[in-house]
Amino acid sequence: MINTPAKIIPVITAFPAGADTLALRMIFLLCSDSTRVPPKELVQAVLTMCDVRKLDGNFLVFLVNGMDREEALRRLPMIVGLLNGTEGPRGLVRESFMRLTTSYLNRPSVLSPTQLLMGLHDRGVVATGESAVEAVAVYESMAKSDGTPIFSTTVFDTALKLLSEQENVSPLILRTADAYYRRRNGPAGTVIKLLNTLIERKVWQMDAGIMLEFVNSFKTMQPGTLALVKSIPPDALKMMVEMDAQLGASIREYVGKMPEPARKPYKWLFK
């Protein structure tokens, strides 16, 4: 069926109101073989239909491996937007991620695992709110038949480094780092290194969202993060203490154990 979609495409794109399920079923049948790339004419027809009729990402799940990289990244928020905390949409998003990162005969994958993870931190995806957080969790939890992660630790390390170097750092980056650390028992040093990079880039001058996530991660990764206190200017440290009283107490305790000369810049902490 996938080789002869010409007669089917007009039926799909002209489906009447209320026949969404039938149209989706036809797309699924045309693209059910995940080892093959969907025909370009089918992909383009459905993309146009989605734009004109304002359809959701359900119509794209089984077509993503027929898109080019730019189109796939542009449509990623539609796919991620399907997530709502239930298993059904998770399965669909997982399927789309697999198709996006699978190589086919005579054609590389649409996105590399690193490109996909970075795409999940783009502004359009982050704008989906908790769906973006869930998308990263879906990505991170994808496993091979033996239970080992599909996407390696190297992918996470590379993506986190590149994301931290972007001009506009996504607030989601620290939640991703935290999920990576917790679920994979990853090295705490990876997250602390990321926090240090953000300190060097003056995270307190960035968007309020990234600063909030920075403070949360700084607190979560104690005591390893406390040594970074010495790298943070007094005004920024005051901001952190005011944002989280529990973290402020930990910082006071840490500074209180410093030798007297080293405590002088932090006298304000004990007033």
Side-chain angles (χ1 to χ4, degrees):
M1 194 173 186
I2 195 169
N3 293 321
T4 57
K7 294 182 180 179
I8 306 297
I9 290 175
V11 177
I12 294 174
T13 55
F15 75 88
D20 301 46
T21 302
L22 177 59
L24 287 168
R25 180 63 178 167
M26 294 174 73
I27 292 172
F28 170 74
L29 290 173
L30 286 168
C31 307
S32 58
D33 185 354
S34 62
T35 65
R36 303 176 71 176
V37 177
K40 290 183 178 180
E41 60 266 35
L42 174 62
V43 174
Q44 190 54 56
V46 174
L47 287 174
T48 300
M49 178 181 70
C50 286
D51 290 339
V52 172
R53 303 180 65 165
K54 309 300 181 186
L55 302 175
D56 65 25
N58 278 299
F59 288 84
L60 305 181
V61 169
F62 298 99
L63 295 170
V64 290
N65 51 332
M67 301 178 193
D68 60 32
R69 182 196 302 175
E70 290 72 23
E71 188 69 55
L73 289 172
R74 190 166 75 85
R75 302 288 178 167
L76 201 53
M78 293 177 66
I79 301 291
V80 172
L82 297 173
L83 293 166
N84 60 7
T86 61
E87 187 51 41
R90 270 191 219 110
L92 292 174
V93 171
R94 193 177 295 117
E95 175 68 22
S96 72
F97 287 177
M98 282 297 299
R99 289 179 180 241
L100 283 168
T101 55
T102 296
S103 297
Y104 297 87
L105 184 64
N106 299 321
R107 207 211 71 181
S109 61
V110 178
L111 298 173
S112 71
T114 300
Q115 288 170 335
L116 175 55
L117 185 54
M118 292 185 69
L120 293 178
H121 291 75
D122 281 350
R123 184 173 299 178
V125 175
V126 173
T128 65
E130 287 303 310
S131 293
V133 178
E134 189 176 356
V136 172
V138 169
Y139 176 101
E140 192 281 328
S141 65
M142 292 172 65
K144 302 175 184 176
S145 57
D146 63 0
T148 58
I150 288 179
F151 303 122
S152 68
T153 295
T154 301
V155 168
F156 274 83
D157 288 344
T158 302
L160 289 172
K161 180 179 184 298
L162 292 172
L163 287 166
S164 70
E165 294 171 351
Q166 291 183 334
E167 182 177 353
N168 297 308
V169 181
S170 167
L172 186 58
I173 185 176
L174 287 165
R175 297 183 73 168
T176 298
D178 182 66
Y180 157 74
Y181 169 72
R182 290 178 179 277
R183 284 198 289 265
R184 297 204 182 191
N185 295 316
T190 298
V191 184
I192 293 174
K193 185 177 180 180
L194 174 59
L195 292 171
N196 187 57
T197 297
L198 293 175
I199 290 171
E200 291 174 349
R201 294 199 57 193
K202 298 180 172 58
V203 62
W204 48 89
Q205 295 178 1
M206 296 181 184
D207 181 81
I210 183 67
M211 185 58 182
L212 177 60
E213 294 297 341
F214 175 84
V215 169
N216 289 337
S217 185
F218 198 99
K219 180 173 69 173
T220 300
M221 298 303 296
Q222 293 179 84
T225 51
L226 292 173
L228 298 176
V229 164
K230 300 172 185 176
S231 304
I232 302 173
D235 287 347
L237 200 60
K238 287 178 184 178
M239 186 188 304
M240 293 172 63
V241 170
E242 291 170 357
M243 289 176 68
D244 193 299
Q246 187 178 356
L247 175 60
S250 297
I251 291 173
R252 285 189 190 91
E253 182 180 357
Y254 174 77
V255 172
K257 294 177 181 178
M258 290 180 178
E260 176 61 30
R263 288 203 303 269
K264 286 184 178 179
Y266 306 101
K267 288 182 178 179
W268 57 269
L269 269 171
F270 303 96
K271 292 182 180 179

